[in-house]
Structures are given as C-alpha cells and as structure tokens.
Amino acid sequence: MPIPPGPFAGRTITDLARDLRAGQVTATELAERALDAAGALGPALNAFVTMDAAGALEAARRADEELAAGTDRGPLHGLPVAVKDLIMVAGLPATMGSRHFAQYVPDTDATCVTRLRRAGAVIVGKTTTHEFAYGPTGDRSANGPSRNPRDPERMSGGSSGGSAAAVAAGIVPLAIGTDTGGSVRIPAALCGIAGFKPAFGAIPADGVFPLSRSYDHVGVLAGGAEDCLIAYRCLTGETVDGSAAGSVGWIDPAGLFDGDPRVTRAVRAVLETGEEVRLPEGFAEEVRETYVAVQSCETAAVHAERLGRAPELFEPEVLERLRAAAEVPGWRYVRALEARERLAGLVEELFGRHDVLAMPTVPIVAPPVDQREFALDGRAVAVRPALLALTSPWNVLGLPALTVPAGLVDGLPVGLQLVCRPGDEPLLFATAALL
Amino acid sequence: MPIPPGPFAGRTITDLARDLRAGQVTATELAERALDAAGALGPALNAFVTMDAAGALEAARRADEELAAGTDRGPLHGLPVAVKDLIMVAGLPATMGSRHFAQYVPDTDATCVTRLRRAGAVIVGKTTTHEFAYGPTGDRSANGPSRNPRDPERMSGGSSGGSAAAVAAGIVPLAIGTDTGGSVRIPAALCGIAGFKPAFGAIPADGVFPLSRSYDHVGVLAGGAEDCLIAYRCLTGETVDGSAAGSVGWIDPAGLFDGDPRVTRAVRAVLETGEEVRLPEGFAEEVRETYVAVQSCETAAVHAERLGRAPELFEPEVLERLRAAAEVPGWRYVRALEARERLAGLVEELFGRHDVLAMPTVPIVAPPVDQREFALDGRAVAVRPALLALTSPWNVLGLPALTVPAGLVDGLPVGLQLVCRPGDEPLLFATAALL
C-alpha cells in the first residue's frame, strides 16, 4: 500500500516560494507541516533519524522575519529541507547510520549546510542513511531500513534512502544527500523523484563523512529536475540558465547490465528521441572493476581502525563487505587509477557526438527490503550490482548526472538518467525540461 | 683491492670538452678509450650488460665531423655516456636486469636518451641494474651483481649500480640512471662519485621501464657535482646559474635511521657549516611507511601479470619481495597518499628556515655483495632499509637531491646529501660548489 502523500507532494519550490512571498503561507507553517508529516509518516518510512523541531521553528521564524523585513535569500528561503545523517549539522546528532557514532554530535556545519542556511533553507531533520553510506539498498542502518513510499515493503534504495523517501512522501520539498556510486540517484529513481549528482567537487564535501573520497559527491533530491536545478544553483552559486536542449545519445543499458527489459522500454518511451550509442568494447567490465577497486580501498582506509578496534559495532553485512574491501590489494587500486584515465578518454569520444547520454537510472524496480538476489526471466540477479550498474560509471568519471521520474513498471517508479560533461549542466537541465 | 682507475678517472666534463675543442683528443678516441676500459675493467665490475662499439664509434665519428664543421652541441658533445639498462636505447637490448626481457630490443629511444643524443653525447653501452630496479643493493640481476670499484667484494649499491661503477672506475665520465628510493644516489655514494636526482618530472621518464610511477626519477651520475649540473642542464634545458650558496640545515641521520656513527662524523666534517635541524616527531616512521606502501603497490601493479604467468623468471629474492608487495592492501596506499600531503607540509616548514637540508646519503658504507644483515655496535642492521633510509624520503616528496663524495670510512666512500625545494637547484649546486 502506498504511503498517503504528505503536504509537499506535487508542490514545487517555485510554487512554494511564490506562496510564501504572496503571504499565503509562512515559513513557520511550512516547517510545521514538514514536522507534522514527518511525525505522521515517519514510523512507516523510517526516513528520519533525528527531527529538530526547535531548530526548524526558530530558523523558520527568522526566515519569516527576514521576508517581512524585505530580506529575500532566494528560492530556498523559508523552505523545509532534510539532510542526510552523514552530513554534519551543528548541534544535531550525526550517526552516519552506525552504532559507532551513536553519541556523536558535531559542532560545525558541513559547507553544504552552511550554504543551505545562507540560502534561507530551514533544516528540519536528519535522514536515514545506509550505514556509513556503504550500500545502495538503504536497508542496513543502525536505525533500521528506510522504506519506499510507493510500497513500504520495498527498499527505498540507498544510501540516501531517507532523503529520497522524505521527498517522495511529500514530507519535505527538498533533501540533500551524497552519491558515491549512485546514492542520490538510485533512491531517487526507486522512489519516483528527481536527483542530481553534480560534477565532482561542484558542491564541496567538507563536513561530509567520507565513503570514498575520489567518488564522493554531494547531491540534491527533489520532486522534479527544475527543483534540483534551483537547489544546485543555491548550493554552488552557479548560474545555469538559458540553454537549448542538447543532442541526446541513448545508451542501451544491456551494455552495462543485463536488467529488466521492461524498465528499459519504459524509460526509452519517455525519452522518445536519441540516437543509439554503443559503449566501447570492454567498457562495462573495466568501469565496474575500477569503481569497486577504488571504492573498496578508499572505504577500507576510512574504517581501518574501527575494523580493528570494534568490528562488532558494524552491521554484519556492512562488516563483511568492509573486511573484503580491506583485502583488496593496492596494485588493483593503482591499476584502477590508470584505467580511469583510459575510461575518461573513451567517454570523451562519446561526448564528441552527443551532448547528453541517456539511459535508465537503475535497471530494475525497487526490490523488497533485505532482498539480495532475485530471479528475472529465469536468471538470478544480484541486487547490489544491479542497483549500482548504471550510476557508478559516472562517479568514476566525476560527470554530472540527473535522474528524473520515468513512469512506473509493476506500479513501481523507474528513472531516466541523463549524463553530461562538466560545464554542460545547462544543456542537461534544458534537455530534462523538454521531457 | 681497488680496481685500477680508468681513462676518465679524475677528468671532468669541462676538461674533456676543452681538450676536444683544442684538438688534443677526438670524440672517436674518447669512445675508444671508454670501450677499451669497459672491456678491460668490465669483467671485474660487471658494470655493463651491453656494449655498443659500432654505434658508439659511429656517433663519435659524427660528433667529430660536426665539431670540425663548426657545429657545437655543447658540453656533452662527443663525450662517452653510459645508460642504465632499463632506459630504452633504440636498437640495443634492454633487459631491465631480468630474464623476463632477455630478448627485448626497443625500437625507440627514451626521451632522456633523445636529449642525450641531441646534446651530442656518445652512448657506449647499457649498465647493470638490479632486476627491474627493485633493490638498492645492485646485486640481484639477470647478468649478475655489479661491484664496487673501491672493493669488488663489496656491493656497488643500486639499483643504478652499473652506472655508478662505470663512472667511479673512470670507464665513462657520465652515466644516467633512475632513482625511485635512492637508486642514483645510493650507488653514487657507495662508489664515491656524485649523483643527482632532480625534482620529480624534471627529466621525463618516458621510455624508462617503471618501478613506481609516483616516485620514479631519471637522474645523472658523474665524478662531481659540477658535472651533474652540466648533464642536468643538457637533459632539461634548464639554466641553473649564478646563485649564491643557500643556508644549510644539518639533519642528524639518527632521526631517520640508526646507522654507523663514523659515517655521520665523516660527512658532518665535510659540511663544516649548518645549524642542526630536528625532523618532526613521527616523521621517520610515517615517511618510511608511505614510501613502502606506495612503492609496493605501484611495483606490484607493474608486474602483476608476470607474477602470475612466469614467476620462475624472477630472481628469487626479487620474486619474494614482489609477492609481498602484491599483498599490501589498497587502503594502505590510500593512507599513504594522505600521509604524503602531511609530510610535504612538515618539510615545507623546515625549508622555511633553511634553503638546503644536509645529511649523509647512506648511513653505512658499502656492505659485501649479497649481505642482507650485519652487526654494528652489537646491533643487527638490515642492509636494505639502511641503504634506503636517508634517500627515499626525498622521492616521496619529489625533491631535488644531490650526493657528493665526502671522504672515506674504513677505506670505503661515503656521501653527503643535499636536498632543496624544486626551483632552488641553483642554491643547491652553489652550496655543493663551496664544499
């Protein structure tokens, strides 16, 4: 049974900003609606780890005062926003989804949070993350799995599962998350919303607990691409305006992963346009190996002491994966750095012919919570590699990648992913706007 | 018994260049002297893998013709030079000191060889390298150990052992080598000559078989610092002139390695000047771990397929070390990259107070060939870490480092090492010139 839509379902940032400035609603009322919805929908979705009613209402009051006094911080001014629980918000617990940080309260904001506040956003709470963001399923966290608003028996996807669930359920109009292999785009796609992973480094990762420094990106989740663009502008100061749509190349996802053909058909139908693009021979395998090697080594580097000192505090699946990651030999990391150069060259050639590459975001629909393998057309499909297959290549290459809702398969959302070169974000969003 | 001095012993590049232009000698005669000396001294030292009499005499003839016709390529014009056997010289075998490349003949020159030729140098042959440059002792090579001209029972040091022995024995006035952890400076110091490892990348490593790409440097070996400077200029086009000597800080080598105090005293006596500089707490351990982690992983990445396919072709000690290197986990590589940033910051502070850091090049004298451990003041000293201890930190940090002869201990040469920041090479050489 789908979760009933919350107060922000179907409301865009532009709508809300207009209503606020027209005096039809106050920031305080918006914050109250978000807090109430989180309370009402929260237990079913497990989207939030921590709510900050006092802080949110205080920030909302200031936002209202500023607007009344003529100070307008732009489109996020007075809007409720949720922040993934491994992004530091001063004074709020940051568990990273882990018992290792059950008691941790940072005293400074992450840079992206500072920028949110500067843009007038009202932070209402911290959202569930897969433990240490180390998993695309969103169902292994010290505070339990986040769940899919479309069907709470299904996974939200991860690792920014709580952020996606909170937006998809209409609890908040905007959330921020992190994306190391797809952790913004995967849950956004599985929950039926939009998510944008900017170019590597476009939004600083200072104050974000690392998963894999070479691949960690801060990203945004919202109802649609337009809202992602607005949030991206506010978080970066980038002006991304007035572009024509770009030429689109369609990448058959089967070249990267043998997933659900119904997902491919549904997404292809939404795109309508786009010449077929073939990925170069061997690309899929090389990009997957590169992703795994770098991510494993960098993640193990983050957790080496915790693995030695208090392994029992990790969730068992996370522990098992971390232990395997700690054994990946360094020469594979070195090879992966070399492979990344080659892969970047290959993709650069594809962009010589098309401005935007399009494909499904995830080649399957949301599996049930805790599922790790399932049968598809008589084949066994491993869930984790399936979830990551179409998103992680763009972390390896640091490219801007957007997912937008692309309809339903079996009543469950699927996403269309658009990828471009850094600097071509205007083309990317203009292309999305045409869909 | 020391090897009797060859024709270039005590002759500087400047001397030779003057004699050539004065008509007192021809390039052909110089090449003949080098070839004859290599023939006469070669068996005792095992400095050369391959001699190229035909190529050398042809190049010498052209050099003579050019000089006669008024074309002067500069100070290396017509001078015999030896090249380490993992630097590619078109048409000559490049064994890398390994049975894996017993039959390999490259068809293009390394960039540094192209530059040597452009400077008019006459390449007479390829010098013995420790197998794949993977060892500072110089005594494990498919063509046998190179030996120390001062005492052929002793190791030359390595990995550019043949280059050092050839110069120290006066077979050639100049040789080129590579230095990943000290492979130019260690054999130069142990054999009693000068050796210069420029800043990382100053001499391109294209066409050089890699050991560890982050740390590999091409360097030069000659009788004295002045000749190293001349060769460095010819290989880079850098003008390194007219500087005053820099302020010198003396680093007590005991802060990096507990070596032979007689070596320290001998080197300190040569320097005379220099305020004592303390390395920061923990520097020695961190720089050693950083060196080993990066070097191990990068070296294993170079040889992974050979290790799987034909391990029996490696020399047993090299094989054992490569197998251990292949097991260094990737997270240690990641940590090492982070540590390197910290270490660079610490050393940058030292250079805030002194232009040049001085210390012994190697904290022991040349051990006997094949020795791996010996007793010193009742302690067991492991040879390999001792050889590398004072040189490898400057590979980790990519800093220019020069070794110059600093007398004898027990009748065996010791070296003084001078280190500076990239860009301060004029200060470095001016400081050396004052000694």
Side-chain angles (χ1 to χ4, degrees):
Chain A
M1 280 288 292
I3 295 284
F8 295 97
R11 305 299 312 280
T12 67
I13 290 176
T14 306
D15 288 346
L16 294 165
R18 190 189 51 227
D19 290 356
L20 262 175
R21 284 158 188 78
Q24 293 177 357
V25 73
T26 65
T28 301
E29 286 163 351
L30 293 179
E32 284 166 347
R33 288 179 199 171
L35 293 165
D36 291 348
L41 303 175
L45 293 176
N46 198 31
F48 284 90
V49 189
T50 304
M51 297 306 299
D52 182 24
L57 293 171
E58 168 61 19
R61 189 186 55 71
R62 279 201 309 276
D64 284 327
E65 285 173 5
E66 286 185 344
L67 270 187
T71 298
D72 189 332
R73 293 175 178 271
L76 301 189
H77 191 133
L79 299 201
V81 174
V83 175
K84 187 178 184 179
D85 203 31
L86 49 59
I87 299 172
M88 307 308 153
V89 175
L92 294 188
T95 70
M96 334 296 173
S98 177
R99 292 191 291 155
H100 283 281
F101 286 87
Q103 309 300 326
Y104 181 66
V105 181
D107 56 9
T108 48
D109 285 337
T111 298
C112 58
V113 169
T114 302
R115 292 185 181 181
L116 275 181
R117 294 198 202 274
R118 228 177 259 158
V122 172
I123 293 163
V124 296
K126 303 292 295 291
T127 57
T128 301
T129 173
H130 201 100
E131 183 170 15
F132 289 118
Y134 194 32
T137 49
D139 52 6
R140 299 296 160 94
S141 172
N143 72 309
S146 53
R147 294 173 176 277
N148 197 311
R150 189 69 63 155
D151 174 357
E153 299 301 307
R154 302 235 164 207
M155 57 179 67
S156 60
S159 61
S160 310
S163 285
V167 170
I171 300 173
V172 286
L174 176 68
I176 60 175
T178 59
D179 188 316
T180 301
S183 281
V184 158
R185 291 161 289 155
I186 293 164
L190 298 189
C191 293
I193 60 169
F196 181 51
K197 176 198 85 64
F200 183 72
I203 302 175
D206 303 83
V208 175
F209 195 89
L211 173 60
S212 172
R213 286 183 198 278
S214 298
Y215 295 163
D216 289 345
H217 296 66
V218 177
V220 295
L221 303 96
E226 173 71 17
D227 284 357
C228 288
L229 175 56
I230 291 171
Y232 173 67
R233 281 202 200 107
C234 292
L235 284 164
T236 59
E238 297 275 334
T239 41
V240 181
D241 290 307
S243 173
S247 65
V248 177
W250 168 259
I251 292 181
D252 182 350
L256 285 163
F257 191 88
D258 200 4
D260 187 337
R262 298 173 307 163
V263 172
T264 304
R265 282 197 297 274
V267 174
R268 189 73 182 97
V270 168
L271 185 64
E272 291 180 342
T273 173
E275 192 183 59
E276 295 271 340
V277 171
R278 267 183 71 100
L279 289 170
E281 192 69 36
F283 180 88
E285 190 181 341
E286 189 160 25
V287 79
R288 186 170 54 240
E289 285 178 3
T290 301
Y291 175 73
V292 170
V294 172
Q295 200 257 21
S296 298
C297 297
E298 295 187 350
T299 300
V302 171
H303 295 290
E305 283 74 16
R306 271 180 289 276
L307 269 176
R309 205 175 49 219
E312 72 285 358
L313 293 182
F314 289 104
E315 188 281 330
E317 183 186 83
V318 169
L319 176 62
E320 184 185 0
R321 295 181 60 219
L322 278 174
R323 283 183 162 152
E327 285 177 14
V328 173
W331 67 269
R332 290 203 178 272
Y333 186 87
V334 173
R335 288 279 177 97
L337 298 186
E338 294 166 5
R340 181 150 62 156
E341 298 300 307
R342 278 196 303 280
L343 292 164
L346 294 174
V347 168
E348 190 57 31
E349 282 179 37
L350 297 184
F351 281 116
R353 295 190 293 278
H354 300 282
D355 301 314
V356 173
L357 300 177
M359 71 214 79
T361 308
V362 179
I364 56 174
V365 295
V369 167
D370 288 338
Q371 192 182 60
R372 292 295 180 264
E373 192 173 294
F374 66 96
L376 183 69
D377 299 336
R379 300 176 283 120
V381 172
V383 167
R384 213 161 33 227
L387 294 177
L388 288 162
L390 307 183
T391 49
S392 57
W394 321 117
N395 295 77
V396 170
L397 300 171
L399 300 178
L402 172 71
T403 181
V404 293
L408 302 174
V409 167
D410 272 350
L412 292 165
V414 298
L416 162 65
Q417 185 177 212
L418 301 173
V419 180
C420 71
R421 283 182 288 200
D424 278 353
E425 293 85 355
L427 280 174
L428 185 79
F429 282 100
T431 305
L434 283 188
L435 296 172
Chain B
M1 280 287 295
I3 295 284
F8 296 96
R11 306 300 311 280
T12 67
I13 289 175
T14 306
D15 288 346
L16 296 164
R18 190 191 51 228
D19 289 356
L20 262 176
R21 283 158 188 79
Q24 293 177 357
V25 72
T26 64
T28 301
E29 286 163 352
L30 293 179
E32 285 167 349
R33 288 180 199 171
L35 292 165
D36 289 349
L41 302 174
L45 293 177
N46 198 32
F48 284 90
V49 190
T50 303
M51 296 308 298
D52 182 25
L57 292 172
E58 168 62 18
R61 190 187 56 73
R62 278 200 310 275
D64 284 327
E65 285 173 5
E66 287 185 342
L67 271 186
T71 299
D72 189 333
R73 294 175 178 271
L76 301 189
H77 192 132
L79 298 200
V81 175
V83 175
K84 186 178 184 179
D85 203 30
L86 49 60
I87 299 172
M88 307 308 152
V89 176
L92 293 187
T95 70
M96 333 297 172
S98 177
R99 293 193 289 155
H100 283 282
F101 285 88
Q103 308 299 327
Y104 181 66
V105 180
D107 55 10
T108 48
D109 285 338
T111 298
C112 58
V113 169
T114 303
R115 292 184 181 181
L116 276 181
R117 293 198 203 273
R118 231 177 257 158
V122 172
I123 293 163
V124 296
K126 304 291 295 291
T127 57
T128 300
T129 173
H130 201 100
E131 183 170 16
F132 289 119
Y134 194 32
T137 50
D139 53 5
R140 300 294 161 94
S141 173
N143 72 309
S146 53
R147 293 173 177 277
N148 198 311
R150 189 69 62 155
D151 176 358
E153 298 301 308
R154 304 237 162 204
M155 57 180 66
S156 59
S159 62
S160 311
S163 286
V167 171
I171 300 174
V172 286
L174 175 68
I176 59 174
T178 58
D179 188 316
T180 301
S183 280
V184 158
R185 291 160 290 156
I186 293 164
L190 298 189
C191 292
I193 60 169
F196 180 51
K197 177 199 85 64
F200 183 72
I203 301 175
D206 304 84
V208 175
F209 195 89
L211 173 60
S212 171
R213 285 183 200 279
S214 298
Y215 295 163
D216 289 346
H217 297 65
V218 176
V220 295
L221 302 96
E226 173 71 17
D227 284 356
C228 288
L229 174 56
I230 291 170
Y232 172 67
R233 281 201 200 107
C234 291
L235 285 164
T236 59
E238 297 274 335
T239 41
V240 181
D241 290 307
S243 172
S247 64
V248 178
W250 168 260
I251 293 181
D252 182 351
L256 285 162
F257 190 88
D258 201 4
D260 187 336
R262 298 172 306 162
V263 172
T264 304
R265 282 196 298 273
V267 175
R268 189 75 180 97
V270 168
L271 185 64
E272 291 180 342
T273 174
E275 192 184 57
E276 295 271 339
V277 170
R278 267 183 71 102
L279 290 169
E281 192 69 35
F283 180 88
E285 191 181 341
E286 189 160 26
V287 80
R288 187 170 53 241
E289 285 178 2
T290 300
Y291 175 73
V292 171
V294 171
Q295 201 258 21
S296 298
C297 297
E298 294 187 350
T299 300
V302 171
H303 294 291
E305 282 74 17
R306 271 180 289 278
L307 269 176
R309 204 174 51 220
E312 71 286 358
L313 292 183
F314 289 103
E315 188 281 329
E317 183 185 83
V318 169
L319 176 62
E320 183 186 1
R321 295 181 61 220
L322 278 175
R323 283 184 163 151
E327 285 177 14
V328 173
W331 66 268
R332 289 202 179 273
Y333 186 87
V334 173
R335 288 280 177 96
L337 297 186
E338 295 165 5
R340 180 150 61 158
E341 299 300 307
R342 276 196 304 280
L343 293 163
L346 293 173
V347 168
E348 190 57 31
E349 282 179 37
L350 297 184
F351 281 116
R353 294 190 294 277
H354 299 282
D355 301 313
V356 173
L357 300 177
M359 72 214 79
T361 308
V362 178
I364 57 174
V365 294
V369 166
D370 288 338
Q371 192 183 58
R372 292 296 180 264
E373 192 172 292
F374 66 97
L376 184 70
D377 298 339
R379 300 176 283 120
V381 173
V383 167
R384 213 161 32 227
L387 294 177
L388 288 161
L390 307 184
T391 50
S392 58
W394 321 117
N395 295 78
V396 170
L397 300 172
L399 300 178
L402 172 72
T403 181
V404 294
L408 303 174
V409 167
D410 271 350
L412 293 165
V414 298
L416 162 65
Q417 184 177 212
L418 301 173
V419 181
C420 71
R421 284 181 287 199
D424 279 353
E425 293 85 354
L427 280 173
L428 187 78
F429 282 100
T431 305
L434 285 186
L435 296 171

